[in-house]
Amino acid sequence: VTGRCIPSRSACGDFYDFLELPGGKTGIAIGDVSGKGMAATLLMAGVQGLLRTQAPTSANLAQLVRKINQHLYGSLSGARFCTLFFGVYDEARRHLQFFNAGYPPPLVVTAEGVRFLEATGLPLGLFPEIAHRPQVEVLAPGSLLVLYSDGVTGAHNSRGENFGVERLVDAVTRARGEDADRLMAKILAEVRDFEGGIPLEDDQTLIVLKTNET
C-alpha cells in the first residue's frame, strides 16, 4: 500500500494516513475539508489526530464516525464540511470494513472488472447527528483498491476537459499488473500529461493498495 498527496498551495485541505490497529489490522484514511488554505489544513490535522486517538479504541466504525462528526460539527462554521473515507483492512482475510462519508467512491479493480465503494452516508460536520452503515468488501487475491481525491478526477487541460473517472479507471486497468508504487507513479504521470503544464487548482491525493496474489 502506498499514498501520496500533492498540495495545490503551501497549505493543504487533503490528507491521507495509515494506522496500526489492534489485531494486526491497518486503518486507511483519506479525506478532504471544503475550502483551501491554512484553516482547512488545521481542521484536517484535527481530524487526523482524532482518528489516531479514537480508531484504536472505538467499539465499531459506526461509533467512530459519530465521534468525528460531533467534533467537526462543533469546529466547522457556515457551509464547510469534511468528506472522509476510513477503512479497516484485515490482511489475513483480505476484509475491508469501511465507511464513506461523501468521499469520491474508491475503485476496486479485479480481473472481473471495476466496482465502486459508494458513500455510506453524508459528509461530516453538516449536522449534529448522522448515521452511517459501515460496509464490508472482500478483496480477491491480486486485486487493487484505489482511493482518489476530486483533485485527481477534476484535473483539467487547456481545453477545459476534466481527467474524469473514466480516464482514471482506464489508467488503473491498463497498469493493474504493476505493484502499488509503480501504479501510483503511472496514474500521476497520466494526470500530469493530461494537464499539459496547467498549475494545480486543487489538492491531489491518491492511495493504492494491492493484495497479494495468493
Side-chain angles (χ1 to χ4, degrees):
V1 61
T2 188
R4 186 173 178 190
C5 179
I6 304 172
S8 60
R9 303 183 182 184
S10 57
C12 180
D14 278 13
F15 95 109
Y16 75 92
D17 203 1
F18 304 127
L19 287 70
E20 293 185 10
L21 299 178
K25 298 176 182 179
T26 301
I28 300 172
I30 186 168
D32 184 7
V33 167
S34 61
K36 296 180 176 64
M38 188 55 66
T41 299
L42 292 174
L43 284 168
M44 190 50 75
V47 175
Q48 186 175 12
L50 200 63
L51 276 172
R52 284 187 164 266
T53 57
Q54 297 296 326
T57 59
S58 292
N60 51 59
L61 289 186
Q63 181 187 83
L64 177 62
V65 73
R66 284 197 300 270
K67 288 180 180 179
I68 297 172
N69 181 71
Q70 289 169 356
H71 168 80
L72 284 172
Y73 185 75
S75 302
L76 296 173
S77 60
R80 301 190 69 177
F81 58 91
C82 171
T83 59
L84 178 68
F85 179 99
F86 183 74
V88 176
Y89 183 56
D90 183 345
E91 184 177 6
R93 298 187 299 160
R94 293 193 297 272
H95 278 204
L96 177 73
Q97 186 181 30
F98 68 92
F99 67 78
N100 182 355
Y103 202 78
L107 312 177
V108 175
V109 183
T110 68
E112 286 71 41
V114 180
R115 299 191 304 278
F116 294 87
L117 304 185
E118 301 289 350
T120 57
L122 294 172
L124 307 180
L126 291 172
F127 303 101
E129 293 292 337
I130 60 172
H132 279 254
R133 183 175 295 175
Q135 304 294 311
V136 174
E137 181 76 18
V138 180
L139 301 177
S143 61
L144 289 164
L145 173 68
V146 180
L147 304 99
Y148 57 94
S149 69
D150 54 11
V152 174
T153 51
H156 64 88
N157 59 22
S158 60
R159 297 185 296 277
E161 301 169 325
N162 286 341
F163 189 72
V165 175
E166 288 187 7
R167 287 187 177 89
L168 177 61
V169 169
D170 183 59
V172 173
T173 302
R174 283 187 282 105
R176 65 178 298 266
E178 304 284 2
D179 63 23
D181 288 320
R182 288 179 180 273
L183 181 59
M184 169 80 71
K186 288 193 172 186
I187 294 171
L188 292 175
E190 290 208 23
V191 173
R192 294 285 86 75
D193 289 345
F194 177 82
E195 290 172 319
I198 290 179
L200 289 185
E201 293 185 359
D202 197 3
D203 309 322
Q204 295 180 347
T205 307
L206 273 171
I207 292 176
V208 176
L209 180 148
K210 187 169 187 178
T211 63
N212 293 329
E213 296 288 347
T214 58

